[in-house]
Amino acid sequence: MRAPTLFMHDRSDPSHPALPVHPADEVLPMRRMIPAALQHVASMYAGLAAPPLIIGGALGLTAAQLTVLLAASLVVAGLATVAQTLRFWGVGAALPITNGVSFAVVSPVLAASASRGQDTLPLVFGATLVAGAVCFLLAPAFCRLLRFFPPVVSGSVITLVGLSLLPVAGQWARGGDPASSGYGSPSNLALAAGTLALTLLLHRLLSGRFLQRVAILLGLIAGTAAAVPMGKVDFHHLSQAPLFALPEPFAFGAPQFEAPIIATMLVVMLVSMTESTVSLIAVGSVVDKPVDDRVIAGSLRAQGLGTALGGALGAFVSCSYAQNVGLVAISRIRSRYAVTLCGAVLVLMGLVPALGSLVALVPLPVLGGAAVVFFGSITVAGIRTLAKASLATGHNGIIVSVALAFGLIPVASTDFYDRLPAPAAMVLGSGITAGCLVAVLLNLLLNHFGRGSEANESHIPTAHVDAFDGIDSEAHLPPRSVRQSR
């Protein structure tokens, strides 16, 4: 079923005909926009803050230097997200998609820093500048890969994105850091389970579509409040955070360029481009606005610019965040302008670290309980896309099963490819990338070379995907005011 079509009237000319507006392009009132944006900020903050904090901690950076890394990551992520959602001069996707630091950068940076220490950062940021430029220049060519993503491939990879993120939700629910004393404690698990149960209960009991759609935000607030008397909310960072911090270009020294590190960062960039393309296809399916070559090229240009800006300000390779795709599906708030506001909030948090510390108050077990919902909704979106592929006959069932296997092996066994050469281990060690490559290659081999029975599948997913389809009987109807005007 098609998504609801909204209408805008030119108030200055009553005779002007109504113009259709897609839900992704709807400008929501601020009372709905602000909570939706804050949900996106909360869902991506942990994943965005983790890479700079892990890298900075491993390099022995001071608290002030860690603040610089984190502030740069927030500002760059916010600007890239704004560019993605607004689209200008061919840059951006004009869809509700976010950008932030890719976690794939952590292992290569730590490996490069083993012998150099803090002297690694100028080399990493130089390589990041090159990777961002390459991403921007390759965007028009890379986007042509879309024809290799029929429903059997895109559905497999979107499903794999959700499945591979669920262990992250489990790790957050246990406390996030396996080295911490309370990791996996009954209190952490109870807090995660309580947040999950409360979120589902709020979604079921709250009246009004808007309140249901911000149930995750309400669950996060309630879970954090419950964690305060349990001593699981750390107020230390809030008191220590500076009031204002302006990112300084090349704060860790002038960028340096070394071929091995540049080559490694280019591999990270290609992995991130692949994962971002999959996330873009997924969000297009969720909002019922299928992507095409132009949209993917614009999205990759924004990612490339964000990565290059990160190299200048002290951030790392950028990618799209799948957890925010799941949040769009679960909340059914499809407006890209809500994500634009999310980007603006991220920039503000980078410039005013005290605001970032407020979001950091949410304990990881609370975030893990909520993450079960929106990570699981990505899996549902993938399954619904797979429903359009003929799995009962032909080769598609084999393609899905093998792609999921290759994608989940590195998730279940993180050291599975450790003895391979570093570039191969990096590509195959990303479950999403490995599953994507296997699905594309098997589809070409089984469905296109020779007499494949599914070779004529539509290459772009077009079905409307809604993780809670059927729960809200009015979910697919136009707004009440439009229905009454008819």
Side-chain angles (χ1 to χ4, degrees), residues 369-445:
V372 170
V373 179
F374 48 79
F375 288 171
S377 68
I378 302 175
T379 306
V380 173
I383 293 172
R384 294 178 70 95
T385 302
L386 283 174
K388 296 183 296 168
S390 303
L391 299 182
T393 60
H395 310 299
N396 283 350
I398 295 294
I399 294 172
V400 174
S401 59
V402 177
L404 291 180
F406 268 82
L408 292 177
I409 282 174
V411 175
S413 179
T414 56
D415 59 351
F416 191 84
Y417 297 110
D418 280 1
R419 301 190 66 177
L420 294 181
M426 186 183 306
V427 173
L428 295 175
S430 168
I432 297 171
T433 302
C436 179
L437 292 175
V438 169
V440 169
L441 292 175
L442 285 181
N443 179 61
L444 290 174
L445 178 65

Side-chain angles (χ1 to χ4, degrees), residues 165-313:
L165 284 173
L166 284 173
V168 176
Q171 187 175 10
W172 288 351
R174 299 174 72 184
D177 183 7
S180 64
S181 58
Y183 183 73
S185 64
S187 59
N188 280 350
L189 298 181
L191 196 56
T195 302
L196 173 60
L198 181 61
T199 300
L200 297 176
L201 190 64
L202 289 172
H203 188 279
R204 179 65 182 88
L205 296 181
L206 287 177
S207 60
R209 294 165 61 190
F210 169 68
L211 290 177
Q212 289 181 341
R213 293 177 181 185
V214 297
I216 291 178
L217 178 61
L218 297 177
L220 289 173
I221 294 173
T224 302
V228 172
M230 300 171 66
K232 296 186 179 297
V233 178
D234 185 5
F235 293 97
H236 174 73
H237 296 294
L238 183 62
S239 61
Q240 298 296 320
L243 182 61
F244 183 78
L246 186 66
E248 177 186 350
F250 309 120
F252 295 91
Q256 301 175 20
F257 303 94
E258 188 174 287
I261 295 183
I262 290 175
T264 300
M265 209 55 61
L266 288 176
V267 174
V268 173
M269 189 78 255
L270 289 173
V271 170
S272 298
M273 290 168 70
T274 302
E275 295 183 358
S276 296
T277 300
V278 171
S279 295
L280 192 64
I281 293 173
V283 79
S285 181
V286 166
V287 304
D288 195 22
K289 196 173 184 179
V291 302
D292 54 21
D293 291 0
R294 181 184 63 87
V295 173
I296 291 181
S299 178
L300 293 178
R301 288 191 189 101
Q303 182 176 342
L305 286 179
T307 298
L309 182 61
L313 294 183

